Each structure stands twice: as C-alpha cells, then as structure tokens.
Amino acid sequence: MAAAALLRRIPAARAPATAFMAARPISDSTAALTIKTSVPFTSHLVDPPSRDVTTTPAELVTFFRDMSLMRRMEIAADSLYKAKLIRGFCHLYDGQEAVAVGMEAAITRSDSIITAYRDHCTYLARGGDLVSAFSELMGREAGCSRGKGGSMHFYKKDANFYGGHGIVGAQVPLGCGLAFAQKYKKEDTATFALYGDGAANQGQLFEALNISALWKLPAILVCENNHYGMGTAEWRAAKSPDYYKRGDYVPGLKVDGMDVLAVKQACKFAKDHAVANGPIVLEMDTYRYHGHSMSDPGSTYRTRDEISGVRQERDPIERVRKLLFTHDLATAAELKDMEKEIRKQVDDAIAKAKESSMPDTSELFTNVYKKGFGVESFGPDRKELRASLP
Amino acid sequence: MTTAFSLRAAAPATAPCAGVRSTSAARVVPVSAAPAGRGRMVARAAVAAKADAPSSAVAGKSDGHEVLLFEALREALIEEMKLDPTVCVFGEDVGHYGGSYKVTKGLADMFGDLRVLDTPIAENSFTGMGVGAGMKGLRPVVEGMNMGFLLLAYNQISNNCGMLHYTSGGQFKIPVVIRGPGGVGRQLGAEHSQRLESYFQSIPGLQMVACSTPYNAKGLMKAAIRSENPVVLFEHVLLYNLKEKIPDEEYVLCLEEAEMVRPGVHVTILTYSRMRYHVMQAAKTLVNKGYDPEVIDIRSLKPFDLHTIGNSIKKTHRVLIVEECMRTGGIGASLRSAIIDNFWDYLDAPIMCLSSQDVPTPYAATLEDATVVQPAQIVAAVEQICQ
C-alpha cells in the first residue's frame, strides 16, 4: 500500500488541521484487487461466473460512498415522511443499496435500467442528484418529474433510467420493449428490468420472457428478492421460491444481493450473456430494513430479531467497510468523516429542495400530450390543415 | 352550400409551422387565447373541412386509384414504414399470416421480421413492450386482433401508455399507435363485438380516432403514426371491404378534425365509424320526407372537434348523436355533456342520443340487429327532434 500513501488526496470537507494529523489518506488507487464473493453463485442452465471479483481500492471507496449516500437519503426521506413533507406512498430501499451500486458498476449509461416503485436509489445510481430527488418527493417544481410523478415515478432519460412504476410487474414488459428497441437499433447494450419477489408471480413477466427468448432480446430480468411481497412472505406467495429458475428455458443466476461485488460480477456476466444470447434471469437475495412502504411498520410479518440479525450479519455497507479495513484502504476516522460529509450533503439538499416552489397550477395541463396535440396534416392539394386544440 | 365554414387557422405566435401556405380565398380569423388552466373545450384555432365538398374529392392532380379500406390502411403503413425506419408493427399473425384482416399482408416480406413482428398471444406484455419501445425512440404500431382483446392490456394502455409523458415530467414520449377492429360484426358473439371507445375515453394522455372510409383510414393512420402522442385508431370489422377512390398523391389528415359528410340545415347528426352508413341510409329517407340533415362524422373521439360541431349546431340548433357505443358512459354521453357545456344557448331542442343497448351483443341475428341503431330509428328520431 505504499503506492496509496503517495497518492495524497485531501477530501474537501476535511479541515486543514486534520490534514496534518492524517496517518494515510483514503486510497484512490486504481491498482487491481481481487476479492472473493461472500458465497458462490447458484446457476440454472448456465455456467456461473467466477467468485473472484476484480475491483480497485478506488472503486471500493466509491461503493462505500455511494451506498452510504443512498442509505442517508432513505433515512432522511423517512424523517421527511413523518414530518408530512412527503405524502402518499414512499418505498424505501435501505438494505438493498448493493444491488443499485453493484449493477451500475458493471454497466454503462448506454445500458437501460427500469425498475418498480422502490426507485430513489436507482435514480441516484444513474446519476440523479439529491436536490431533484428530494424535490420530487416533496412535490416541488425542481423535482426530476417536475413534481408530477412523486416517489414512484423517478425517471432520467439522458441516463437511460426508465423509472419508476407503480403497478407491480408492469415495468417488465416495458423493459423487454426497451431491449427490443436496443436490438432494433443494433446498440449492443442491454436492459435490466428489475422487479420484486411479489411481482415475480405476475403473468406478464412470463409473457414478456417468452417473447424475449423467442426474439433473442438483450433483456435481463432481475428479481430483487427481499423475501416479502408487502406483508406476505415469499413462501406464502410462491410455490417455487427459486426465482432464478422461474425462467424455465431461460438461464438464471442467484446472487447474494447484499454483496456489492457479487452483484457487480453477476451483472457484468448477465450483460455479456444477454447481448450475445438473449434473456437471462438474475435473482438478488437482498433485504429491506424498512417496511414495504412508510405506511407499513415492517414488523407485523417479521421479527425485529430477523431485521437486526440481517443488519448485523449482512449489511452491505458494513461489508464494504470491513473490506476497506482488511485491505488497509481507509481508517475508521476517514470513513466517519466521509459519512459526516454525506450527512451534510443530504441535509443541504433537503434544505435546497424545501426552498423550491410548488408547481404552478398551469403545470396541471402541461405534458398530458406532447406539443399540444396532433400533427400537421395536408390534403393532396397541399393545403395546410391544422388544429391546435389545447 | 356556401363555404362560410372554411376558416384558416390564425398562425400561432410561437413556432411557425413549416410549409404553411395560405390561399387567398380564406379568411384569417384571429382568435384570442383562452385563459390558461381552465379546461378549454372549444378549439382555439382550428380549420373545419370545407362545407361543400366531400373530403375525398379535394382536388388532386390525378384521378386516384380505387382501394378497399384495409388496403388503404396497408398503403398508409407501407408509406410510413418506408419513410421512417423506426416504425414497426407488433401483433398476432401480422407477419407471416398477413394479418387476420389482411391489413398487414405482404409487409413482413417487404420489411423483414424485425419490423413486422408476430407476437404470441400475450396482449398485456406486447402492448407493454410497444410502450417500452416507444420510450426508447421507436414508433410501434400495436395491433389488437380484435379491439376487445386489448382489455387484457388495459393496464399498459392506461397507466403506462397514457401517463408516462406526464409522470416523467415530459421526458418520455410514447408515439405508439394502437389499432384494431372493433364494433358489432355479423354474429361474432358478445366477446368479439366490443366497443372499447367508451372504456378508453377517460384515459388522460391518449388520443382516439375512428376511421370510416378508405380515404380517412389512410389519412388517419398516417397521422397517427406521425403523432408524438399515443393514438388509438378504431377500425370496424364490417368496414374493411368498403371501396373508394383515393388520391395517388400523399396526404395526411388531421387527427383532431371532424368530417362534414353531408351539409344540411335542419338537424346536426353526429356519428362515427359504421353508424355513419346507417345515418346516410336514413338521410336518403329523410330527404324524401323533406328534411335536410347535416351529417358530421366526428372521427376524433378524443378530443372532440367542437369547432366543427359547434359551427354546425349554431346553424341547425338541433343535435342527434348516433353511435354504436353503449348507452352508459359511451362516447355519446360525453359528447352530449360537451355540447351542453359549450353550446346550450344555441339548442332549440334536447340533444338526442341513439346508442347501442346496454347488453352483451347476442348471437342471434335479429337480436344483434336490435342491439345496434338501425336507420329506421334514426329517421324516427329526426322526425321527433324536428317537430
């Protein structure tokens, strides 16, 4: 780690005095580092990828930072909801951050991601910023959907993030449609269509998977299995809880969704497979600490011991923290500083979002249709006929 | 018949449209902008079809060619698919089989399997895939083999197709065309004789049009494909073999415009799709009895072309709506409300609405005939209104 010591980097938030006291800066080395995943992959109809994941110290630090930011954002959203600044439905992702971060590390912004309503962190991973996220949650004009979508409708077109969907399972055919467009345009990219263990029982998934397999579309169906479909445990909803095998004739891979490196490896594997061979199903074994949404305490159908047990044994952020310590890439103090910085970032973003105004009443009628209505039309004598209805 | 109802649109102050050529014969009518935010129902600036000429006889350079309605739809599809490589067709049996009503016959050979796609029987998912493809820049034309089957895709049509432009704050546009035959056919049974106009009409973000002649079928199909908004194009099972001469030159019709079928003075009859023909049959009888009905094919089911309709009501002061939709919550019901809201002062008689009975369409021929509106009922209704 001598190379790391030479790369002195002083985080912006660090006060000048502490710079002198630092023993060694947080590593931003890009030297390759190979780490084994927590558990081997389980596969269906395909050879699983290797357990050895190549990463770099800088990447691990980024993982820690990104996941901590997401965690902080979700906790802050919890407080905002209780303060009645966020209304309606608010589905929080804390515990599942590794899936969003690991996926993003394996792909490019040209690949597409579509997910359901637990989308705040995926939006962030795709390059969304905190201010638009919080503004959207609070229904302000500065929100990513101009305040008109809400928690369940975050989108980012320029980053190929297609949302943000409230109806369970309906986003999977959309995702296969995105994959179709990618194949049609010969883009060599793939689409990750995420859904939960509850949505895995929707018929339209199997319909879409059938079509994707028939037409060899680069679609990757990712089941984020947090073991509870709202209040119903997976064993009460699914005869076969092996969601990665549900594709039947479509290959599948089961991944420890709390291990960001395993997620990264699996997603890279899946993308290469999908672009070459057609659809593949990934099952991410993950867990959410909050209830299904803010209206659900999350403790009536599972024990507090279970929740705290997962938090102690499998928390994705703690796993990366341990890795950073084990490989001597950062000290506890540095990571604490980073977390403080993140907390401040989130607080600042909330303050900024609170200042943003509510959308103007005229916004009620904008974006219902594109460009007003209709199309210019002309008869065979080229006489211009045009209607411009509101 | 005068040309009093030809109005040329005042050019909007914002984007000038390319290729506008005003003819010297037209009057320019500046119309003040209505206040924003209130649900405006009257067209701010719209052009009505010329009152005196049936729309298909608009002067073209050559004689035109005769086509059947399904061939007109196919011509439109071929032209648009040649012009724009992002247009593709999804549907059951549209490719190798050529389409259950032959609308897509030959397209798979012309454009290949990647552009004319035979889907499995999975309406929910292939409609969803059409919406997803639309989000990513393609322009799918999704065919429901029968409109009634699209009830299985209702979630995708309502929540995703209709709403995504709004909930994403304008980021995504969904330029899909959802089309298919609907309506009461010849003893097809209840589940294959559905009229979904009424089911879809409340979905915000959708546009709906109904074609009724080969001329407007081709023009509306082209317009629907070019539109940036999702458009549902309602065809009718019994109209596919209508024959008409259509121009050789390219033409595109306006999606939001109604069609003046027969100008008149005594009563405004508003209709669409197959009922247009029942109305015209009744009109023959009515003319013999001394009445002069004005028949308008509304074509645009969402939004209504209240400009054309309003001008007509201001002339005749009596309205009869003839539709194939169900009585409860049908297009006629909404149209009636819209007319009352906007043109109450011009009405001399209550608006009459003739619609199909609120029953599942029976199989027996006599019962099926009794379900839909027949010309005799239209004649009786006009006589009643014009008393």
Side-chain angles (χ1 to χ4, degrees):
Chain A
M1 289 299 129
L6 291 171
L7 296 163
R8 189 158 283 274
R9 184 184 66 126
I10 300 165
R14 188 178 287 191
T18 53
F20 294 105
M21 296 184 336
R24 168 200 51 72
I26 294 181
S27 174
D28 61 352
S29 154
T30 49
L33 187 56
T34 306
I35 299 178
K36 246 189 165 54
T37 63
S38 56
V39 292
F41 298 103
T42 325
S43 69
H44 169 71
L45 293 186
V46 73
D47 290 326
S50 155
R51 271 182 78 180
D52 295 315
V53 186
T54 323
T55 178
T56 70
E59 188 177 53
L60 281 176
V61 173
T62 314
F63 285 166
F64 182 86
R65 181 187 286 280
D66 290 344
M67 289 200 284
S68 302
L69 185 66
M70 291 174 181
R71 179 69 59 92
R72 191 66 232 142
M73 174 177 78
E74 296 295 71
I75 308 277
D78 178 306
S79 315
L80 287 175
Y81 192 89
K82 287 175 176 148
K84 290 207 190 333
L85 282 165
I86 301 178
R87 314 303 302 273
F89 293 126
C90 187
H91 307 85
L92 299 177
Y93 201 71
D94 53 322
Q96 299 183 210
E97 298 91 352
V99 177
V101 171
M103 183 178 292
E104 198 58 42
I107 62 178
T108 68
R109 287 280 155 83
S110 309
D111 296 300
S112 305
I113 298 184
I114 189 169
T115 184
Y117 42 77
R118 213 176 289 279
D119 55 353
H120 310 162
C121 298
T122 320
Y123 172 72
L124 231 56
R126 285 260 98 179
D129 65 295
L130 288 170
V131 178
S132 0
F134 283 115
S135 304
E136 186 60 35
L137 287 172
M138 294 194 271
R140 307 295 168 103
E141 211 168 27
C144 49
S145 297
R146 315 251 283 257
K148 302 205 283 200
S151 161
M152 298 187 283
H153 299 285
F154 279 28
Y155 305 89
K156 195 166 193 336
K157 183 173 181 184
D158 54 5
N160 281 310
F161 176 52
Y162 293 87
H165 295 274
I167 302 296
V168 167
Q171 75 276 11
V172 177
L174 290 187
C176 294
L178 297 172
F180 172 75
Q182 286 170 325
K183 177 166 182 156
Y184 192 97
K185 292 185 184 178
K186 302 189 186 7
E187 274 182 12
D188 268 343
T189 52
T191 299
F192 287 78
L194 282 71
Y195 58 99
D197 47 293
N201 301 315
Q202 273 270 313
Q204 50 190 323
L205 259 76
F206 299 96
E207 292 178 16
L209 204 53
N210 178 39
I211 299 179
S212 304
L214 264 176
W215 297 351
K216 266 186 78 167
L217 304 180
I220 299 153
L221 268 66
V222 182
C223 179
E224 290 183 283
N225 182 9
N226 57 24
H227 308 283
Y228 295 92
M230 205 161 90
T232 306
E234 64 178 332
W235 57 271
R236 293 180 63 226
K239 186 77 179 161
S240 160
D242 287 331
Y243 299 104
Y244 69 107
K245 284 190 190 163
R246 290 276 195 97
D248 187 20
Y249 39 82
V250 171
L253 198 66
K254 183 165 172 168
V255 186
D256 178 3
M258 306 296 258
D259 177 357
V260 65
L261 293 168
V263 172
K264 175 186 166 188
Q265 185 86 321
C267 290
K268 182 155 192 337
F269 174 79
K271 175 180 169 175
D272 292 337
H273 183 278
V275 171
N277 305 327
I280 182 170
V281 179
L282 292 180
E283 180 186 337
M284 303 286 179
D285 184 353
T286 181
Y287 200 84
R288 53 168 163 82
Y289 297 139
H290 269 89
H292 164 74
S293 71
M294 287 303 298
S295 343
D296 168 27
S299 50
T300 55
Y301 47 87
R302 47 186 195 171
T303 62
R304 291 196 193 280
D305 285 340
E306 178 189 299
I307 305 172
S308 52
V310 175
R311 211 189 267 275
Q312 273 166 2
E313 315 266 304
R314 300 178 65 203
D315 185 85
I317 301 178
E318 293 313 306
R319 179 191 304 274
V320 177
R321 194 196 297 266
K322 280 197 203 101
L323 279 173
L324 291 172
F325 292 161
T326 317
H327 295 267
D328 196 25
L329 303 175
T331 65
E334 284 159 348
L335 294 184
K336 261 243 142 12
D337 281 342
M338 194 186 282
E339 284 172 322
K340 268 201 219 121
E341 185 193 329
I342 285 169
R343 208 188 172 111
K344 182 169 187 312
Q345 234 183 314
V346 169
D347 289 341
D348 286 346
I350 294 177
K352 194 134 187 269
K354 279 183 184 165
E355 282 169 27
S356 168
S357 52
M358 298 292 267
D360 188 63
T361 318
S362 64
E363 278 285 318
L364 182 62
F365 297 103
T366 59
N367 302 131
V368 180
Y369 295 94
K370 178 133 181 100
K371 291 196 288 202
F373 268 135
V375 68
E376 284 172 18
S377 59
F378 50 92
D381 60 349
R382 312 322 265 196
K383 184 173 124 179
E384 164 90 9
L385 305 165
R386 189 171 198 261
S388 57
L389 293 163
Chain B
M1 313 302 165
T2 64
T3 54
F5 300 95
S6 293
L7 291 163
R8 176 146 290 285
T14 47
C17 36
V20 177
R21 278 172 28 214
S22 50
T23 63
S24 52
R27 269 185 299 152
V28 176
V29 179
V31 178
S32 60
R38 188 180 177 277
R40 287 165 292 175
M41 284 167 282
V42 182
R44 201 155 25 117
V47 180
K50 276 177 83 101
D52 53 353
S55 40
S56 60
V58 182
K61 294 259 164 37
S62 68
D63 273 338
H65 56 286
E66 249 187 1
V67 287
L68 302 176
L69 196 145
F70 74 86
E71 291 171 344
L73 290 166
R74 191 197 312 147
E75 272 186 26
L77 264 175
I78 291 176
E79 283 174 23
E80 290 305 301
M81 287 179 79
K82 280 189 180 148
L83 271 175
D84 185 346
T86 62
V87 179
C88 48
V89 180
F90 281 53
E92 292 156 9
D93 279 331
V94 294
H96 296 184
Y97 188 79
S100 52
Y101 291 95
K102 294 181 288 206
V103 174
T104 51
K105 187 162 180 196
L107 261 63
D109 290 329
M110 283 180 78
F111 297 106
D113 280 345
L114 196 59
R115 290 188 74 188
V116 182
L117 299 129
D118 280 325
T119 60
I121 306 176
E123 284 79 5
N124 195 0
S125 54
F126 72 70
T127 309
M129 285 179 70
V131 174
M135 282 170 96
K136 203 146 164 64
L138 299 187
R139 304 182 88 93
V141 176
V142 176
E143 171 176 312
M145 191 182 269
N146 186 293
M147 270 301 199
F149 305 162
L150 291 180
L151 285 173
L152 287 153
Y154 198 92
N155 172 57
Q156 295 290 353
I157 295 172
S158 162
N159 287 330
N160 292 332
C161 189
M163 295 189 192
L164 270 168
H165 188 60
Y166 192 83
T167 54
S168 67
Q171 287 181 68
F172 296 109
K173 61 179 168 102
I174 321 285
V176 303
V177 176
I178 296 173
R179 51 161 291 267
V184 176
R186 294 260 180 268
Q187 296 186 263
L188 298 176
E191 291 172 344
H192 292 73
S193 312
Q194 305 231 47
R195 286 79 77 196
L196 295 200
E197 307 84 88
S198 53
Y199 294 57
F200 291 151
Q201 67 176 320
S202 330
I203 299 175
L206 277 193
Q207 261 190 273
M208 305 200 308
V209 287
C211 62
S212 48
T213 66
Y215 178 79
N216 64 33
K218 179 173 177 183
L220 290 175
M221 171 75 102
K222 285 173 73 85
I225 293 175
R226 293 186 189 191
S227 171
E228 304 285 42
N229 295 306
V231 178
V232 185
L233 172 58
F234 291 95
E235 302 154 13
H236 197 286
V237 278
L238 292 180
L239 298 184
Y240 278 127
N241 290 326
L242 279 180
K243 196 184 277 197
E244 190 183 11
K245 199 172 244 183
I246 64 172
D248 290 329
E249 297 88 357
E250 192 188 22
Y251 67 97
V252 179
L253 291 176
C254 184
L255 286 174
E256 302 87 22
E257 200 180 20
E259 185 178 322
M260 178 67 68
V261 184
R262 179 188 189 285
V265 296
H266 286 153
V267 60
T268 299
I269 305 182
L270 302 172
T271 182
Y272 65 94
S273 195
R274 180 180 168 229
M275 287 297 117
R276 167 191 176 134
Y277 296 94
H278 282 205
V279 167
M280 290 311 288
Q281 205 178 324
K284 280 199 206 117
T285 316
L286 287 167
V287 165
N288 288 340
K289 294 193 173 191
Y291 294 97
D292 189 15
E294 176 152 295
V295 179
I296 294 178
D297 180 343
I298 61 174
R299 261 179 15 197
S300 174
L301 305 179
K302 185 179 162 87
F304 295 129
D305 179 2
L306 290 174
H307 187 88
T308 309
I309 294 171
N311 285 335
S312 176
I313 295 174
K314 288 175 191 171
K315 184 169 59 158
T316 65
H317 310 293
R318 288 161 209 277
V319 183
L320 170 65
I321 303 172
V322 180
E323 55 161 358
E324 199 172 321
C325 225
M326 317 296 244
R327 179 157 210 79
T328 305
I331 296 288
S334 304
L335 188 51
R336 217 181 199 168
S337 299
I339 293 174
I340 290 173
D341 280 343
N342 284 287
F343 307 116
W344 175 257
D345 293 328
Y346 298 97
L347 291 170
D348 284 348
I351 305 171
M352 269 194 84
C353 182
L354 295 177
S355 12
S356 297
Q357 304 306 313
D358 281 332
V359 294
T361 313
Y363 167 73
T366 45
L367 292 181
E368 186 181 68
D369 286 340
T371 314
V372 299
V373 180
Q374 299 296 339
Q377 293 164 298
I378 302 172
V379 172
V382 170
E383 289 178 330
Q384 193 182 332
I385 290 180
C386 289
Q387 267 166 4

Short mmCIF file of all heavy atoms in Angstrom, two decimals, chain B residues 191-222:
data_model
loop_
_atom_site.label_atom_id
_atom_site.label_comp_id
_atom_site.label_asym_id
_atom_site.label_seq_id
_atom_site.Cartn_x
_atom_site.Cartn_y
_atom_site.Cartn_z
N GLU B 191 -68.26 -11.48 -26.90
CA GLU B 191 -66.90 -11.09 -26.55
C GLU B 191 -66.12 -10.57 -27.74
O GLU B 191 -65.06 -9.96 -27.58
CB GLU B 191 -66.16 -12.27 -25.91
CG GLU B 191 -66.72 -12.58 -24.54
CD GLU B 191 -66.15 -13.87 -23.98
OE1 GLU B 191 -65.56 -14.65 -24.74
OE2 GLU B 191 -66.30 -14.08 -22.77
N HIS B 192 -66.62 -10.78 -28.95
CA HIS B 192 -65.91 -10.31 -30.13
C HIS B 192 -66.64 -9.15 -30.78
O HIS B 192 -66.39 -8.85 -31.94
CB HIS B 192 -65.75 -11.46 -31.13
CG HIS B 192 -64.82 -12.51 -30.64
ND1 HIS B 192 -65.15 -13.39 -29.64
CD2 HIS B 192 -63.55 -12.81 -30.99
CE1 HIS B 192 -64.13 -14.20 -29.39
NE2 HIS B 192 -63.15 -13.86 -30.19
N SER B 193 -67.55 -8.54 -30.03
CA SER B 193 -68.30 -7.42 -30.60
C SER B 193 -68.22 -6.22 -29.67
O SER B 193 -69.22 -5.54 -29.44
CB SER B 193 -69.77 -7.82 -30.77
OG SER B 193 -69.87 -9.07 -31.41
N GLN B 194 -67.03 -5.98 -29.15
CA GLN B 194 -66.93 -4.94 -28.13
C GLN B 194 -66.59 -3.59 -28.73
O GLN B 194 -65.92 -3.50 -29.75
CB GLN B 194 -65.81 -5.32 -27.16
CG GLN B 194 -66.03 -6.69 -26.57
CD GLN B 194 -65.92 -6.68 -25.10
OE1 GLN B 194 -66.49 -5.83 -24.44
NE2 GLN B 194 -65.16 -7.61 -24.55
N ARG B 195 -67.07 -2.55 -28.06
CA ARG B 195 -66.73 -1.19 -28.47
C ARG B 195 -65.95 -0.57 -27.32
O ARG B 195 -66.51 -0.21 -26.32
CB ARG B 195 -68.00 -0.38 -28.74
CG ARG B 195 -68.69 -0.73 -30.02
CD ARG B 195 -69.53 -1.98 -29.94
NE ARG B 195 -70.79 -1.77 -29.27
CZ ARG B 195 -71.56 -2.76 -28.80
NH1 ARG B 195 -71.16 -4.01 -28.87
NH2 ARG B 195 -72.70 -2.49 -28.24
N LEU B 196 -64.66 -0.47 -27.49
CA LEU B 196 -63.84 -0.02 -26.38
C LEU B 196 -63.66 1.49 -26.32
O LEU B 196 -62.94 2.00 -25.46
CB LEU B 196 -62.45 -0.67 -26.43
CG LEU B 196 -62.40 -2.18 -26.24
CD1 LEU B 196 -60.99 -2.58 -25.84
CD2 LEU B 196 -63.34 -2.65 -25.16
N GLU B 197 -64.30 2.22 -27.24
CA GLU B 197 -64.13 3.68 -27.21
C GLU B 197 -64.50 4.21 -25.83
O GLU B 197 -63.84 5.10 -25.28
CB GLU B 197 -65.04 4.40 -28.20
CG GLU B 197 -65.02 3.95 -29.64
CD GLU B 197 -65.90 2.77 -29.94
OE1 GLU B 197 -67.07 2.98 -30.25
OE2 GLU B 197 -65.39 1.64 -29.88
N SER B 198 -65.58 3.67 -25.29
CA SER B 198 -66.04 4.20 -24.01
C SER B 198 -65.07 3.85 -22.89
O SER B 198 -64.90 4.62 -21.97
CB SER B 198 -67.42 3.66 -23.69
OG SER B 198 -67.41 2.26 -23.77
N TYR B 199 -64.42 2.70 -22.97
CA TYR B 199 -63.51 2.32 -21.90
C TYR B 199 -62.27 3.20 -21.91
O TYR B 199 -61.75 3.56 -20.88
CB TYR B 199 -63.04 0.87 -22.07
CG TYR B 199 -64.11 -0.20 -21.92
CD1 TYR B 199 -65.24 -0.19 -22.72
CD2 TYR B 199 -63.96 -1.22 -21.02
CE1 TYR B 199 -66.19 -1.18 -22.61
CE2 TYR B 199 -64.90 -2.22 -20.89
CZ TYR B 199 -66.02 -2.19 -21.69
OH TYR B 199 -66.94 -3.18 -21.57
N PHE B 200 -61.79 3.55 -23.10
CA PHE B 200 -60.54 4.29 -23.18
C PHE B 200 -60.73 5.79 -23.09
O PHE B 200 -59.76 6.52 -22.95
CB PHE B 200 -59.83 4.00 -24.52
CG PHE B 200 -59.29 2.61 -24.65
CD1 PHE B 200 -59.19 2.01 -25.88
CD2 PHE B 200 -58.87 1.90 -23.55
CE1 PHE B 200 -58.69 0.73 -26.02
CE2 PHE B 200 -58.37 0.61 -23.67
CZ PHE B 200 -58.27 0.03 -24.92
N GLN B 201 -61.95 6.28 -23.20
CA GLN B 201 -62.09 7.72 -23.40
C GLN B 201 -61.64 8.54 -22.20
O GLN B 201 -61.25 9.69 -22.36
CB GLN B 201 -63.51 8.10 -23.80
CG GLN B 201 -64.53 7.86 -22.72
CD GLN B 201 -65.90 8.36 -23.13
OE1 GLN B 201 -66.03 9.39 -23.74
NE2 GLN B 201 -66.92 7.60 -22.78
N SER B 202 -61.69 7.96 -21.00
CA SER B 202 -61.25 8.78 -19.87
C SER B 202 -59.76 8.78 -19.64
O SER B 202 -59.29 9.50 -18.78
CB SER B 202 -61.87 8.31 -18.57
OG SER B 202 -63.09 7.73 -18.76
N ILE B 203 -59.03 7.97 -20.36
CA ILE B 203 -57.60 7.88 -20.06
C ILE B 203 -56.92 9.16 -20.50
O ILE B 203 -56.93 9.50 -21.68
CB ILE B 203 -56.97 6.68 -20.79
CG1 ILE B 203 -57.62 5.39 -20.34
CG2 ILE B 203 -55.47 6.64 -20.52
CD1 ILE B 203 -57.13 4.19 -21.11
N PRO B 204 -56.32 9.89 -19.57
CA PRO B 204 -55.65 11.12 -19.98
C PRO B 204 -54.38 10.77 -20.74
O PRO B 204 -53.72 9.79 -20.44
CB PRO B 204 -55.29 11.81 -18.65
CG PRO B 204 -55.78 10.93 -17.57
CD PRO B 204 -56.16 9.61 -18.14
N GLY B 205 -54.08 11.54 -21.74
CA GLY B 205 -52.85 11.31 -22.48
C GLY B 205 -53.04 10.51 -23.75
O GLY B 205 -52.13 10.43 -24.57
N LEU B 206 -54.21 9.91 -23.93
CA LEU B 206 -54.46 9.16 -25.16
C LEU B 206 -55.23 10.01 -26.15
O LEU B 206 -56.02 10.84 -25.76
CB LEU B 206 -55.33 7.95 -24.88
CG LEU B 206 -54.76 6.65 -24.35
CD1 LEU B 206 -55.81 5.58 -24.47
CD2 LEU B 206 -53.52 6.25 -25.08
N GLN B 207 -55.02 9.76 -27.42
CA GLN B 207 -55.90 10.35 -28.42
C GLN B 207 -56.65 9.20 -29.07
O GLN B 207 -56.10 8.11 -29.23
CB GLN B 207 -55.06 11.05 -29.49
CG GLN B 207 -54.97 12.53 -29.29
CD GLN B 207 -54.33 13.22 -30.48
OE1 GLN B 207 -53.13 13.33 -30.54
NE2 GLN B 207 -55.16 13.65 -31.40
N MET B 208 -57.90 9.42 -29.46
CA MET B 208 -58.66 8.36 -30.10
C MET B 208 -59.26 8.86 -31.39
O MET B 208 -59.84 9.95 -31.43
CB MET B 208 -59.81 7.90 -29.19
CG MET B 208 -59.36 7.48 -27.81
SD MET B 208 -60.52 6.43 -26.96
CE MET B 208 -62.03 7.34 -27.08
N VAL B 209 -59.13 8.08 -32.44
CA VAL B 209 -59.77 8.41 -33.70
C VAL B 209 -60.45 7.16 -34.23
O VAL B 209 -60.02 6.04 -33.95
CB VAL B 209 -58.77 8.92 -34.77
CG1 VAL B 209 -58.30 10.31 -34.46
CG2 VAL B 209 -57.60 7.98 -34.91
N ALA B 210 -61.50 7.37 -35.01
CA ALA B 210 -62.21 6.25 -35.62
C ALA B 210 -62.28 6.51 -37.12
O ALA B 210 -62.76 7.56 -37.54
CB ALA B 210 -63.61 6.13 -35.03
N CYS B 211 -61.84 5.56 -37.92
CA CYS B 211 -61.90 5.77 -39.37
C CYS B 211 -63.16 5.12 -39.89
O CYS B 211 -63.72 4.21 -39.29
CB CYS B 211 -60.65 5.21 -40.05
SG CYS B 211 -60.45 3.44 -39.84
N SER B 212 -63.62 5.61 -41.04
CA SER B 212 -64.85 5.07 -41.58
C SER B 212 -64.84 4.90 -43.10
O SER B 212 -65.71 4.24 -43.64
CB SER B 212 -66.04 5.96 -41.18
OG SER B 212 -65.71 7.30 -41.46
N THR B 213 -63.91 5.53 -43.77
CA THR B 213 -63.84 5.38 -45.23
C THR B 213 -62.39 5.08 -45.59
O THR B 213 -61.49 5.38 -44.80
CB THR B 213 -64.24 6.67 -45.95
OG1 THR B 213 -63.26 7.68 -45.67
CG2 THR B 213 -65.61 7.15 -45.53
N PRO B 214 -62.17 4.51 -46.76
CA PRO B 214 -60.76 4.29 -47.15
C PRO B 214 -59.96 5.58 -47.15
O PRO B 214 -58.80 5.59 -46.73
CB PRO B 214 -60.89 3.70 -48.57
CG PRO B 214 -62.20 3.00 -48.56
CD PRO B 214 -63.10 3.85 -47.70
N TYR B 215 -60.59 6.67 -47.57
CA TYR B 215 -59.85 7.94 -47.60
C TYR B 215 -59.40 8.35 -46.20
O TYR B 215 -58.23 8.63 -45.96
CB TYR B 215 -60.74 9.04 -48.21
CG TYR B 215 -60.08 10.40 -48.24
CD1 TYR B 215 -59.16 10.72 -49.23
CD2 TYR B 215 -60.38 11.37 -47.29
CE1 TYR B 215 -58.55 11.96 -49.27
CE2 TYR B 215 -59.77 12.61 -47.32
CZ TYR B 215 -58.86 12.90 -48.31
OH TYR B 215 -58.25 14.14 -48.34
N ASN B 216 -60.34 8.36 -45.26
CA ASN B 216 -59.90 8.82 -43.95
C ASN B 216 -59.12 7.75 -43.21
O ASN B 216 -58.28 8.06 -42.37
CB ASN B 216 -61.05 9.42 -43.10
CG ASN B 216 -62.14 8.46 -42.73
OD1 ASN B 216 -61.92 7.28 -42.54
ND2 ASN B 216 -63.35 8.99 -42.61
N ALA B 217 -59.30 6.49 -43.57
CA ALA B 217 -58.50 5.44 -42.93
C ALA B 217 -57.02 5.65 -43.22
O ALA B 217 -56.18 5.63 -42.32
CB ALA B 217 -58.93 4.07 -43.41
N LYS B 218 -56.71 5.89 -44.49
CA LYS B 218 -55.30 6.07 -44.83
C LYS B 218 -54.75 7.34 -44.20
O LYS B 218 -53.66 7.35 -43.62
CB LYS B 218 -55.14 6.14 -46.36
CG LYS B 218 -53.70 6.35 -46.79
CD LYS B 218 -53.54 6.25 -48.28
CE LYS B 218 -52.08 6.56 -48.63
NZ LYS B 218 -51.85 6.56 -50.08
N GLY B 219 -55.51 8.42 -44.30
CA GLY B 219 -55.03 9.68 -43.77
C GLY B 219 -54.85 9.66 -42.26
O GLY B 219 -53.88 10.19 -41.72
N LEU B 220 -55.80 9.03 -41.58
CA LEU B 220 -55.70 8.98 -40.12
C LEU B 220 -54.59 8.04 -39.66
O LEU B 220 -53.90 8.32 -38.69
CB LEU B 220 -57.04 8.54 -39.51
CG LEU B 220 -58.17 9.56 -39.61
CD1 LEU B 220 -59.47 8.96 -39.10
CD2 LEU B 220 -57.84 10.82 -38.82
N MET B 221 -54.40 6.97 -40.38
CA MET B 221 -53.33 6.04 -39.99
C MET B 221 -51.99 6.75 -40.12
O MET B 221 -51.13 6.66 -39.25
CB MET B 221 -53.37 4.79 -40.88
CG MET B 221 -52.18 3.89 -40.72
SD MET B 221 -52.25 2.95 -39.20
CE MET B 221 -52.79 1.40 -39.86
N LYS B 222 -51.81 7.48 -41.20
CA LYS B 222 -50.55 8.19 -41.37
C LYS B 222 -50.37 9.24 -40.28
O LYS B 222 -49.30 9.38 -39.70
CB LYS B 222 -50.48 8.84 -42.75
CG LYS B 222 -50.22 7.84 -43.87
CD LYS B 222 -50.32 8.47 -45.24
CE LYS B 222 -49.15 9.37 -45.56
NZ LYS B 222 -48.01 8.64 -46.10
#
